[in-house]
Amino acid sequence: MEALRHTRNLVVGGAGFVGSNLVRRLLAGGIERVVVVDNLLSAERSNVPADSCLEFVEGSIADDKVLSRLKDEFDYIFHLATYHGNQSSIANPLEDHANNLMTTLKLYEYIKGFKKLKKVVYAASGCTLAPHTDEQPEATREDGPVPFDLDSPYQISKVVGEFYSVYYHRQHRLPTVRARFQNVYGPGEILGAGRWRGTPATVWRNVTPTFIYRALKHLPLQIENNGQATRDFIYVEDIVHGLLLCAVTGQPGDVYNLASGVETSILELATMINRVTGNPAPLEFLPRRAWDHSIKRFGSTEKALRCMGFNARTPLEEGIRRTIDWTRQNIHMLEACILKHASHMNVACSPSVVLKEN
């Protein structure tokens, strides 16, 4: 993207799944400099590319020593740090608060006086506004009501992060733009990335990489509630493109869905992955998760298309095929990350025991 050439960028959470894909895209686009800050809680250092234009700072953006290293030199800041994700936050709400909300507040308070900043892009969560329904849902719009009956501390902290984004824009003219993610998948999502976070969701992070890994191992894909839940799956390259559009053309103080707009059931996803991988194992059906009340959801694409020209270009099956290829090529690295948590999980670290995050 031409507008980002020769710019200086900060990516908070830049060693993570989405962050590392964004960093690679920035480096390929001819930027002058990118600083990555990541405490590697749910990421791997190997995800950060070696490049003379990149500086890696290991630590939390909520740490005053880390913040003090950041100068008023950045054109764009991408705030992607998060405490991954729903189940981990339920297990440890205090850690979620420290890594998913204090990070946002400390960063905004530190940079509120920066003069060179063109935009601060905050990674918001589409699940926070999704209605609790198992009937036919309507596409979740950006201006929808914010419910009080959220399902997890993760959802609470992400929506409060949006509140702070709006507040700091109005009070201090910090040019925040909120990018509401739907269910992102694609190459670079490492099962077991980072440190142990208290539940098997540390390893089995999200439904798509978990299904793909199990299918490649010819293991049954485990599906809750007959697979009737629906999600809006969006390929990581499309998310990165949306983040860049938010930075360049997004309006400060505003919010945009980064969504495919396509509702796909978990059963449809599992069936597709088994077909593409040739997995002979039958599906295994489990009970519904008691904490998850957002059964069916997908995001509206109208505003992002109208205001920024954003649309998700990658069809689901094409993105799944690319992700399967990447997983095959990196299977040994993934298994090494999975196995480093074995002492915490015992048998639960076996691929035959899967608890999914999405």
Side-chain angles (χ1 to χ4, degrees):
M1 192 172 289
E2 187 63 29
L4 289 162
R5 290 180 63 82
H6 309 300
T7 59
R8 296 189 166 210
N9 300 265
L10 169 65
V11 182
V12 184
F17 166 41
V18 175
S20 61
N21 276 279
L22 172 63
V23 166
R24 290 186 180 88
R25 178 73 173 273
L26 288 170
L27 291 170
I31 61 164
E32 180 179 331
R33 170 173 159 81
V34 60
V35 176
V36 170
V37 174
D38 201 301
N39 64 359
L40 303 182
L41 180 62
S42 57
E44 294 294 315
R45 176 67 174 86
S46 60
N47 244 3
V48 182
D51 192 286
S52 60
C53 295
L54 185 148
E55 177 187 354
F56 176 68
V57 178
E58 183 174 348
S60 170
I61 199 66
D63 186 333
D64 290 335
K65 292 181 180 179
V66 172
L67 284 169
S68 68
R69 295 178 59 174
L70 305 178
K71 308 305 178 186
D72 186 2
E73 62 173 314
F74 300 108
D75 299 286
Y76 301 101
I77 294 177
F78 299 88
H79 179 28
L80 311 181
T82 189
Y83 188 68
H84 191 282
N86 285 303
Q87 292 183 98
S88 295
S89 74
I90 292 169
N92 197 333
L94 295 178
E95 281 291 303
D96 177 85
H97 184 85
N99 290 281
N100 210 20
L101 186 54
M102 285 303 295
T103 49
T104 302
L105 183 55
K106 291 290 290 284
L107 174 65
Y108 286 0
E109 185 65 13
Y110 184 78
I111 65 174
K112 67 184 182 184
F114 279 16
K115 303 300 183 185
K116 295 183 179 180
L117 265 177
K118 295 181 174 72
K119 222 71 64 73
V120 181
V121 181
Y122 172 75
S125 176
C127 64
T128 57
L129 267 65
H132 290 174
T133 181
D134 55 8
E135 304 295 332
Q136 183 61 41
E138 295 183 359
T140 304
R141 301 175 60 87
E142 288 87 345
D143 60 353
V146 179
F148 282 91
D149 57 339
L150 296 173
D151 288 333
S152 71
Y154 171 83
Q155 294 179 14
I156 294 168
S157 55
K158 292 304 289 184
V159 79
V160 174
E162 289 205 50
F163 294 155
Y164 275 127
S165 297
V166 173
Y167 168 78
Y168 272 85
H169 173 249
R170 290 181 177 173
Q171 183 71 16
H172 300 287
R173 309 314 300 167
L174 189 67
T176 57
V177 176
R178 291 162 286 145
R180 268 196 208 128
F181 290 19
Q182 294 295 321
N183 285 57
V184 191
Y185 73 97
E189 186 165 12
I190 300 174
L191 296 170
R195 302 192 293 276
W196 176 250
R197 295 184 299 284
T199 80
T202 299
V203 174
W204 311 114
R205 295 163 58 96
N206 287 322
V207 63
T208 304
T210 296
F211 276 3
I212 288 175
Y213 177 80
R214 289 180 64 86
L216 290 174
K217 290 295 186 177
H218 291 179
L219 294 166
L221 306 193
Q222 297 178 321
I223 299 177
E224 294 95 353
N225 200 26
N226 295 315
Q228 67 173 323
T230 62
R231 296 293 185 263
D232 184 325
F233 294 100
I234 181 167
Y235 191 59
V236 67
E237 286 185 5
D238 291 325
I239 280 285
V240 167
H241 181 61
L243 287 169
L244 298 180
L245 284 174
C246 284
V248 173
T249 66
Q251 289 299 306
D254 215 340
V255 57
Y256 306 94
N257 284 339
L258 300 186
S260 72
V262 178
E263 185 185 9
T264 302
S265 74
I266 302 302
L267 180 60
E268 290 173 318
L269 177 70
T271 303
M272 177 188 296
I273 289 173
N274 273 346
R275 173 173 54 79
V276 175
T277 60
N279 182 18
L283 299 176
E284 181 179 339
F285 293 94
L286 304 177
R288 174 177 170 177
R289 297 178 299 184
W291 62 266
D292 187 1
H293 298 93
S294 179
I295 306 303
K296 295 187 176 184
R297 65 176 190 251
F298 69 106
S300 170
T301 60
E302 186 276 330
K303 181 178 178 180
L305 179 61
R306 171 171 47 85
C307 296
M308 302 193 302
F310 172 77
N311 66 304
R313 304 168 181 171
T314 311
L316 180 58
E317 183 162 333
E318 179 182 338
I320 289 295
R321 288 182 181 275
R322 293 181 193 174
T323 310
I324 288 169
D325 290 342
W326 180 87
T327 305
R328 281 197 180 103
Q329 295 166 12
N330 292 275
I331 197 77
H332 297 302
M333 179 268 289
L334 295 175
E335 290 180 335
C337 284
I338 291 170
L339 288 173
K340 73 182 181 181
H341 302 291
S343 62
H344 297 283
M345 296 177 64
N346 297 319
V347 69
C349 205
S350 164
S352 65
V353 180
V354 176
L355 298 177
K356 296 183 292 299
E357 185 69 34
N358 279 332

